[in-house]
Amino acid sequence: MPEILDEADGSQDALIVKVEGGGLQGWGECEASPLTSIANFICPKSHSAANPIKDSIINEKLDNIDDLKKIIHKVRQKSLMIAQTPHTFSGIEVALLDLLAKKESTPIYSLIGHSNSKPKIAYASVLFGKSSEETFDIGTELKNENFKAVKFGWQNFGLNLSKDQEQLHAAREALGSDIKLMIDVGAIWGTDIAEALKRNNIFKENQITWLEEPFYSDAYNEYSQLSKKSNLPLAGGESCHSIESAKNLIEYGKVKYIQIDAGIVGGILAGNEICKFAEQNDVQYVNHTFTSHLQLSASMQSYASSEFSIYAEYPMKLKSLAWDITENHIKKDEHGFINGDWSEVVIYNGTDSIDWRITIDGRIEYPTAFGTYELQEIITNSISLEALFSINNLVKSVLIV
């Protein structure tokens, strides 16, 4: 976006990955800081476990899932000591899976072992209003759009008990008693269990379905203690950057909902493994998505056929950039469900004006276009990164912009 606001909205910028080969294209999106990830992709080697990601992808064979798993392992081993690696590689993994699925003419979820896609309850994901009155208006609007569940979050919720009570009451009053209400506090209490417990009564009075991210994602003890002391259903996991961190949050944090972002955790295959572990432990798997519908589709693949995990985060009020990136969008039906074929979202490929420039403090650092932009091309002076590998004797490319 022309201006990045200081608000918890990940749709203000985008990091898109394109993989090409054999006349096909695969697309992915990283839920990550663009410039940080670009550096992660091309940075000079520091030592044997701090290599640029591109060094683990160039000239690698990719004909099937097993080949992809080998690439995943190589990336993790060779870039282990660069903390950004999971964020950057997540979008690349999604793009590689997308390419393989198109090669096999099958949805990604089928490629990873799911027989079909089950309907999911689309819960509208929005920020709290800046006032309780604004929250009420947002809730009323979403109720009129026939959502069966709504999640409000962030906007400094959790800092003032009195204002929190007003916000919760406004949300519940707007939605009525039949619509599910989820609350996301964005780890605002850090590791402070006592501060979270101050709101236990108002959470229960307003019948919330879950409390999301009361603490940092690796505060397993705090999650567990809050679960025991409050008896609230807890959700978390969007910032989990590995299969192991998500499993720990389930096993030791005692969450009842594990919310995973394919653009952070390492990709769709990582989510698939986490989903299996979660459901074996009576924990529902939920996608995390607050960016484009390309990422929404990717994050839903990992639990497509599950009948146990029934919710799907459906971001509302996205910035225009996140909406315009794709030509088509995943729709909920009039009953509040995501149905049908949501497996393929088509990336925008037109010539209308989309500004892909990266600016810092108003200064254009990396201009990719002025006026119009073709996604297949990177214009002079832009950052363009290509990683080449072989698939069926064809040259492939990975492009991060």
Side-chain angles (χ1 to χ4, degrees):
M1 296 296 292
E3 180 183 5
I4 301 296
L5 304 176
D6 188 20
E7 61 184 29
D9 184 348
S11 70
Q12 298 184 80
D13 62 14
L15 182 60
I16 304 298
V17 177
K18 180 176 72 170
V19 178
E20 287 188 306
L24 300 173
Q25 295 179 341
W27 294 94
E29 181 177 358
C30 310
E31 170 64 293
S33 164
L35 284 182
T36 310
S37 295
I38 288 169
N40 184 197
F41 191 78
I42 63 172
C43 63
K45 175 168 63 177
S46 296
H47 56 76
S48 62
N51 289 274
I53 289 177
K54 67 180 180 65
D55 284 2
S56 298
I57 300 176
I58 292 176
N59 296 323
E60 291 298 313
K61 178 183 175 184
L62 180 68
D63 285 328
N64 50 48
I65 290 289
D66 287 339
D67 289 339
L68 178 55
K69 289 179 179 178
K70 292 176 183 177
I71 293 174
I72 292 169
H73 179 73
K74 186 174 182 180
V75 168
R76 190 167 190 185
Q77 291 296 109
K78 291 181 71 64
S79 301
L80 180 66
M81 299 304 290
I82 303 177
Q84 188 69 13
T85 294
H87 290 251
T88 307
F89 184 69
S90 292
I92 297 172
E93 189 262 17
V94 171
L96 295 176
L97 264 179
D98 186 35
L99 185 67
L100 284 175
K102 289 172 180 173
K103 173 177 172 284
E104 300 296 332
S105 299
T106 188
I108 291 176
Y109 63 73
S110 178
L111 199 65
I112 63 174
H114 293 269
S115 57
N116 53 31
S117 60
K118 299 292 185 183
K120 305 296 181 188
I121 297 172
Y123 74 80
S125 184
V126 293
L127 302 178
F128 276 107
K130 294 180 180 179
S131 66
S132 57
E133 291 80 12
E134 185 179 353
T135 294
F136 180 86
D137 291 341
I138 294 170
T140 300
E141 177 185 348
L142 295 172
K143 180 181 181 180
N144 292 337
E145 292 186 27
N146 295 324
F147 278 98
K148 297 170 68 70
V150 175
K151 184 177 77 180
F152 284 93
W154 297 73
Q155 292 288 51
N156 293 323
F157 184 96
L159 294 178
N160 183 292
L161 182 58
S162 176
K163 291 182 178 179
D164 293 348
Q165 186 170 12
E166 292 175 1
Q167 288 278 25
L168 273 173
H169 178 73
R172 175 49 75 196
E173 185 179 8
L175 298 178
S177 59
D178 294 334
I179 297 176
K180 302 290 185 182
L181 173 62
M182 296 84 155
I183 301 298
D184 180 357
V185 298
I188 198 163
W189 300 311
T191 57
D192 192 338
I193 300 171
E195 193 64 31
L197 284 170
K198 290 178 183 179
R199 291 151 179 84
N200 195 30
N201 288 337
I202 62 175
F203 284 139
K204 291 183 175 179
E205 288 170 4
N206 289 283
Q207 300 175 305
I208 67 170
T209 297
W210 72 57
L211 172 63
E212 184 175 330
E213 287 212 307
F215 310 120
Y216 303 131
S217 64
D218 55 357
Y220 309 129
N221 178 65
E222 287 77 7
Y223 268 93
S224 178
Q225 289 300 312
L226 180 59
S227 176
K228 291 176 183 177
K229 293 179 180 180
S230 70
N231 202 31
L232 286 171
L234 302 183
E238 69 181 69
S239 58
C240 286
H241 56 272
S242 68
I243 295 169
E244 294 76 19
S245 60
K247 286 183 175 180
N248 286 337
L249 189 55
I250 293 167
E251 186 170 0
Y252 303 113
K254 306 301 180 184
V255 294
K256 297 305 294 180
Y257 300 88
I258 187 74
Q259 194 164 29
I260 298 299
D261 196 312
I264 295 175
V265 79
I268 293 171
L269 285 174
N272 201 42
E273 184 172 336
I274 294 165
C275 179
K276 292 175 182 177
F277 182 84
E279 295 189 349
Q280 289 168 1
N281 287 273
D282 198 34
V283 171
Q284 285 199 47
Y285 184 98
V286 189
N287 68 301
H288 171 263
T289 308
F290 210 84
T291 49
S292 77
H293 280 220
L294 174 66
Q295 186 63 7
L296 176 58
S297 174
S299 288
M300 290 179 63
Q301 305 286 337
S302 298
Y303 69 121
S305 63
S306 174
E307 295 182 345
F308 178 74
S309 299
I310 61 174
Y311 293 106
E313 181 168 28
Y314 192 86
M316 296 292 290
K317 302 184 182 300
L318 290 172
K319 295 293 189 289
S320 58
L321 171 64
W323 186 260
D324 293 342
I325 282 173
T326 60
E327 290 184 356
N328 62 324
H329 301 92
I330 297 171
K331 303 292 186 181
K332 74 168 183 64
D333 64 22
E334 60 184 4
H335 304 293
F337 288 88
I338 296 175
N339 278 299
D341 184 11
W342 44 261
S343 61
E344 184 177 351
V345 173
V346 180
I347 199 74
Y348 178 80
N349 206 21
T351 56
D352 291 341
S353 177
I354 294 183
D355 189 353
W356 294 84
R357 293 173 294 183
I358 298 175
T359 62
I360 299 176
D361 294 331
R363 184 178 68 252
I364 299 172
E365 295 292 338
Y366 303 103
T368 56
F370 296 93
T372 63
Y373 182 75
E374 293 272 352
L375 219 65
Q376 293 100 327
E377 300 178 13
I378 298 293
I379 311 302
T380 305
N381 297 327
S382 69
I383 287 187
S384 63
L385 313 171
E386 293 195 3
L388 306 179
F389 54 93
S390 64
I391 175 170
N392 294 337
N393 298 318
L394 297 173
V395 175
K396 300 291 183 177
S397 68
V398 175
L399 176 67
I400 298 183
V401 293

